[in-house]
């Protein structure tokens, strides 16, 4: 069977735990993944987790970041500066793309078709090929230009899914990980990937 991965782009916005939760969810579901980590995302990852992410040691660094063994996992890594990489072309097979977290710069670059790096180029390619693209902005407050770029992404066919966790699944005393998993679960819902990351609303108050 032809390999059709989900392309996951991690940009430099704060929120690398969201990316980790989405990646773990895709891996748990047995989905093949192509990963692109922007240069700015490496700085954010180092700041938020104390972990480095290096091109030459990406497998070891990714396994350390996610806390899961990658021995039997179908993950391929593409450097963000490699504009000749597979995901830069529409003929490269893919299920679609998830950008998590999505910085304001990444949203603008994708909306305007700038293709400044592989993350932006791959997202633009998946939009033009009419594949599912899920964009997870994590910025507040937002400017008018940011909102306009998000509207342009929606008009281009993307699902814009802000990192906005709900509390009905775990209550007001929810842990940070429960709130992170809620957002990751919504992302996987938008991608059509099965998971058990969140407690779904049943129509009954206090049903947790």
């Amino acid at each position: 069977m032809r390999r059709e991965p989900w392309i996951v782009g991690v940009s430099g916005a704060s929120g690398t735990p969201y990316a980790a939760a989405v990646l773990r969810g895709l891996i748990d579901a047995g989905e093949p993944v192509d990963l692109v980590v922007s240069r700015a995302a490496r700085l954010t990852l180092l700041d938020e987790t104390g972990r480095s992410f290096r091109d030459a040691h990406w497998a070891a660094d990714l396994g350390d970041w996610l806390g899961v063994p990658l021995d039997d996992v179908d993950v391929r890594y593409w450097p963000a500066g490699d504009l000749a990489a597979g995901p830069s072309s529409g003929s490269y097979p893919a299920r679609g793309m998830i950008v998590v977290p999505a910085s304001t710069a990444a949203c603008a670059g994708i909306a305007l078709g700038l293709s400044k790096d592989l993350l932006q180029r791959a997202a633009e390619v998946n939009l033009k090929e009419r594949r599912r693209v899920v964009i997870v902005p994590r910025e507040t407050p937002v400017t008018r230009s940011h909102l306009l770029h998000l509207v342009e992404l929606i008009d281009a066919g993307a699902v814009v899914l802000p990192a906005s966790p709900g509390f009905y699944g775990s209550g007001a005393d929810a842990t940070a990980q429960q709130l992170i998993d809620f957002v990751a679960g919504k992302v996987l819902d938008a991608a059509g990937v099965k998971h058990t990351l969140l407690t779904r609303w049943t129509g009954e108050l206090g049903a947790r």
Side-chain angles (χ1 to χ4, degrees), residues 33 37 43 49 53 55 88 90 106 118 128 139 143 145 151 181 195 197 200:
V33 173
V37 180
L43 297 176
T49 71
F53 195 93
D55 287 346
S88 68
L118 181 59
K128 79 179 183 66
E139 189 69 65
T143 65
S145 64
V151 170
D181 285 346
H195 65 89
L197 287 173
R200 300 186 183 279

Side-chain angles (χ1 to χ4, degrees), residues 89-178:
S89 172
S91 66
Y92 183 80
R95 291 275 305 280
M97 184 164 180
I98 299 167
V99 183
V100 55
S103 66
T104 55
C107 290
I110 297 166
L112 297 175
L114 297 182
S115 295
K116 292 183 66 176
D117 61 11
L118 181 59
L119 187 154
Q120 293 183 18
R121 172 60 183 168
E124 181 189 4
V125 163
N126 280 272
L127 285 173
K128 79 179 183 66
E129 296 295 327
R130 297 296 188 262
R131 299 172 186 150
R132 181 60 57 92
V133 175
V134 184
I135 307 287
V136 187
R138 204 241 49 86
E139 189 69 65
T140 187
V142 294
T143 65
R144 184 177 184 275
S145 64
H146 187 202
L147 291 172
L148 290 175
H149 291 144
L150 296 181
V151 170
E152 290 171 353
L153 289 170
I154 291 172
D155 288 346
V159 176
V160 174
L161 197 156
S164 179
F167 287 81
Y168 55 79
S170 304
D173 295 325
T175 66
Q177 191 60 55
Q178 286 173 317

Side-chain angles (χ1 to χ4, degrees), residues 64-81:
D64 180 53
W65 176 27
L66 300 184
V68 298
L70 300 179
D71 297 336
D72 299 317
V73 174
D74 187 355
V75 178
R76 184 176 295 173
Y77 171 71
W78 301 95

